[in-house]
Amino acid sequence: SDSTSTLLKQSQEQLEAKLLVDLQSNQPYEALQYVQSYLARKKKQLGQNFTSALVFFAAKLMVKHNASSSAGTLLTWFIEDGAGVEYFFKLQTNALNSENYCDVQRLIDFLSKISISEAIPTVDLIYGPVHILISKSKIDNGSALSSR
């Protein structure tokens, strides 16, 4: 609905305004801490899908401003339930649509839009946690997720 997309848009604008100040003044750690505290405060209002969307939104901004390792730290934090167990990294086994999002697909989309040199610091940090998460979940080989 319009009110939910407005909520996401407003949240992205708030996050971006503060992140750009930190990132442009070469303070990636402050940017990272701000995103984590922002999500901790707003996650109930945002819900699981938008919390995830904002994690990837912030990670993109970090990479764009030469803070790929901060992006990796943020994604690792999210993958390891840093936003809270009810705001987990979602492995969607069914077909995707606006309601059925998948964080593995969001991660693939995120990584496919950045250069290899930008991706390396991020992938170094997230590879282990993603691998563990996927291994633990015992995904059915015939599922839509296994082809992602």
Side-chain angles (χ1 to χ4, degrees):
S1 76
D2 278 353
S3 64
T4 49
S5 60
T6 303
L7 172 66
L8 181 61
K9 206 172 178 59
Q10 286 172 338
S11 299
Q12 287 174 330
E13 287 166 4
Q14 284 174 355
L15 258 184
E16 187 171 18
K18 172 72 171 112
L19 284 183
L20 288 180
V21 170
D22 288 340
L23 293 169
Q24 287 167 349
S25 54
N26 202 20
Q27 296 181 303
Y29 183 71
E30 285 78 359
L32 172 65
Q33 285 192 309
Y34 178 74
V35 175
Q36 291 170 326
S37 67
Y38 182 90
L39 293 173
R41 287 192 318 270
K42 301 276 191 175
K43 65 187 181 185
K44 282 192 170 58
Q45 184 187 1
L46 291 165
Q48 189 181 0
N49 187 351
F50 286 174
T51 298
S52 161
L54 286 173
V55 167
F56 285 98
F57 175 79
K60 281 179 202 148
L61 279 177
M62 290 171 170
V63 169
K64 207 163 123 184
H65 290 87
N66 302 314
S68 291
S69 58
S70 291
T73 303
L74 175 63
L75 290 169
T76 300
W77 170 83
F78 181 55
I79 292 161
E80 294 177 340
D81 293 339
V85 288
E86 67 279 25
Y87 299 89
F88 54 87
F89 188 85
K90 189 171 176 187
L91 303 175
Q92 176 59 257
T93 53
N94 302 321
L96 303 182
N97 58 41
S98 60
E99 303 303 308
N100 271 357
Y101 71 95
C102 177
D103 284 317
V104 172
Q105 189 60 54
R106 285 180 175 174
L107 184 60
I108 292 166
D109 293 346
F110 164 76
L111 291 171
S112 64
K113 290 183 177 118
I114 61 178
S115 71
I116 289 172
S117 62
E118 289 171 328
I120 288 170
T122 303
V123 172
D124 281 349
L125 289 162
I126 65 171
Y127 180 80
V130 168
H131 184 73
I132 290 165
L133 185 71
I134 291 173
S135 303
K136 273 190 196 165
S137 65
K138 297 179 176 53
I139 296 152
D140 176 29
N141 283 339
S143 75
L145 179 58
S146 67
S147 65
R148 283 180 210 128

